[in-house]
Amino acid sequence: EIVMTQSPATLSASPGERATLFCRASQSITTNLAWYQQIPGQAPRLLIYGASTRATGIPARFSGGGSGTEFTLTISSLQSEDFAVYYCQQYNNWPPRTFGQGTKVEI
Amino acid sequence: QVHLVQSGAEVKEPGASLSVSCKTSGYTFTDYSIHWVRQAPGQGLEWMGWVSPHSGVTNYAQKFQGRVTMARDTSINTAYLELNSLSFDDSAVYFCARDRDISPFDYWGQGTLVTVS
């Protein structure tokens, strides 16, 4: 089973600041990595797939990078609606489809 | 447009079974797999397993094997999750989500809250 590890657990930032979230896989997953955003009380929303491709309708301030075992999600300028929990997920080697434990981006 | 609409909240006693449905629309049901993911209160996302609407093949996370069943009804474009022998630890929001081959979950259901009490 591939273990996904996210850091930090919580990121405190102000609107307008840049935020970078990290995700590490326990073995290579090439670029088969997705990022999801979850606002409390809602279902997760796909942000990024293929490590760096934005999903339909996702603003350009969200960008993803990395390959192999190390990945990043960057929000270039935090907006009020971006304060949420972010999860990475690998879909390269499954089952199981594994998620990271999440990073909470808070004001 | 694509929609996955889940059944409503449930309250169950320990030892009972839960049953959640996921009705899909806006796409060809048999072209995409349906996965089930759950989220305990204040916790992260936990993958439970998947069902292929095309073939009916299933695969379950080891943690749930023996007490979970995932199924589908292609006549009404609906997938189902059943989990037996519930304990308090099974209290969670249960989500369905779709994917296609080696791909992420691009659409999700709204979630179904199941409380074991």
Side-chain angles (χ1 to χ4, degrees):
Chain A
E1 173 178 331
I2 296 178
V3 176
M4 307 301 292
T5 304
Q6 291 185 240
S7 61
T10 304
L11 190 158
S12 298
S14 300
E17 289 187 338
R18 181 184 187 92
T20 300
L21 288 62
F22 300 91
C23 177
R24 172 177 291 175
S26 60
Q27 65 188 74
S28 177
I29 56 170
T30 65
T31 55
N32 290 320
L33 180 105
W35 289 95
Y36 300 89
Q37 177 194 64
Q38 188 178 33
I39 293 167
Q42 297 186 16
R45 175 175 72 147
L46 177 65
L47 294 178
I48 300 284
Y49 63 94
S52 61
T53 303
R54 281 189 301 277
T56 303
I58 301 304
R61 65 181 181 271
F62 291 93
S63 62
S67 66
T69 61
E70 304 284 341
F71 301 89
T72 58
L73 173 69
T74 299
I75 310 170
S76 60
S77 177
L78 282 164
Q79 306 298 302
S80 58
E81 61 267 30
D82 300 336
F83 293 94
V85 180
Y86 294 82
Y87 295 95
C88 62
Q89 180 207 35
Q90 67 85 17
Y91 51 93
N92 187 69
N93 188 346
W94 65 282
R97 290 282 188 100
T98 44
F99 293 91
Q101 77 277 25
T103 291
K104 180 180 181 180
V105 177
E106 64 176 22
I107 300 176
Chain B
Q1 57 276 44
V2 175
H3 290 292
L4 283 69
V5 179
Q6 299 181 222
S7 49
E10 297 189 352
V11 178
K12 298 292 184 180
E13 293 187 350
S17 299
L18 70 81
S19 181
V20 180
S21 66
C22 174
K23 183 168 179 59
T24 72
S25 61
Y27 71 98
T28 302
F29 182 57
T30 51
D31 283 352
Y32 291 79
S33 296
I34 294 291
H35 295 251
W36 291 92
V37 175
R38 77 176 186 179
Q39 185 171 41
Q43 302 301 307
L45 302 170
E46 180 176 32
W47 181 82
M48 300 180 68
W50 71 282
V51 57
S52 165
H54 173 69
S55 64
V57 168
T58 56
N59 189 285
Y60 306 134
Q62 191 167 11
K63 174 178 181 177
F64 301 103
Q65 286 185 7
R67 69 182 187 108
V68 68
T69 302
M70 297 176 188
R72 91 293 189 217
D73 185 337
T74 57
S75 68
I76 55 172
N77 297 336
T78 300
Y80 301 93
L81 167 70
E82 183 174 297
L83 187 65
N84 304 319
S85 304
L86 295 174
S87 69
F88 297 119
D89 291 346
D90 292 315
S91 293
V93 176
Y94 290 77
F95 295 100
C96 61
R98 76 165 200 176
D99 84 333
R100 187 170 188 169
D101 297 328
I102 302 176
S103 69
F105 301 160
D106 60 352
Y107 285 91
W108 295 64
Q110 81 278 17
T112 297
L113 175 63
V114 176
T115 303
V116 182
S117 176

